[in-house]
Amino acid sequence: RLIVNVGWVFVVLFDRGCMNYMFPASYAWGNFSVLAVGIWAIVQRDSLDAIMMFLTGLLLTVLTDIIHISVFYPPNNYLTDEKRFSVGMAIFSLLLKPVSCYLVYRMYQERGGE
């Protein structure tokens, strides 16, 4: 249940981060792909491959989110309230991803992973 709740928080924060079109499409595609693998990992409770792919995807999106936020952060004279909110949600989503990684790793251990 906790993984499902963390997943919904991830979806809401990621959606708010994509609300403004200042990040490229690769930001959205990468995070939506990980979300799809996460749904697969939750549905197939006996699959170690699904949960391992989800954990790997989360770790990769942490790296790519850092790159996207640092490269595409707008200058101060182009920073509107809407862009500031979108960047804030993207950063908040990035800060919660290590918690998600920890919970997914615990789920991996519960399923018999080493």
Side-chain angles (χ1 to χ4, degrees):
R1 291 220 172 238
L2 185 61
I3 294 294
V4 174
N5 291 337
V6 170
W8 282 114
V9 169
F10 173 72
V11 168
V12 169
L13 291 177
F14 170 68
D15 178 49
R16 296 300 174 227
C18 287
M19 186 173 66
N20 199 333
Y21 294 104
M22 61 184 221
F23 292 125
S26 59
Y27 176 79
W29 278 104
N31 282 299
F32 279 133
S33 301
V34 170
L35 179 64
V37 173
I39 292 170
W40 174 44
I42 290 171
V43 169
Q44 286 194 343
R45 296 195 182 273
D46 58 344
S47 175
L48 281 176
D49 293 337
I51 198 75
M52 196 61 193
M53 285 179 61
F54 184 42
L55 182 59
T56 304
L58 273 174
L59 291 172
L60 284 174
T61 56
V62 168
L63 178 66
T64 59
D65 285 358
I66 291 170
I67 292 169
H68 280 114
I69 291 170
S70 62
V71 169
F72 293 102
Y73 193 83
N76 279 340
N77 52 349
Y78 294 111
L79 197 59
T80 63
D81 290 338
E82 186 180 52
K83 287 183 180 181
R84 188 175 295 122
F85 179 75
S86 293
V87 170
M89 289 296 108
I91 291 171
F92 193 55
S93 172
L94 176 64
L95 291 175
L96 285 180
K97 279 187 183 178
V99 174
S100 298
C101 288
Y102 172 74
L103 293 173
V104 169
Y105 181 70
R106 293 288 307 249
M107 196 171 166
Y108 172 73
Q109 287 179 334
E110 289 174 6
R111 291 185 184 186
E114 297 178 5

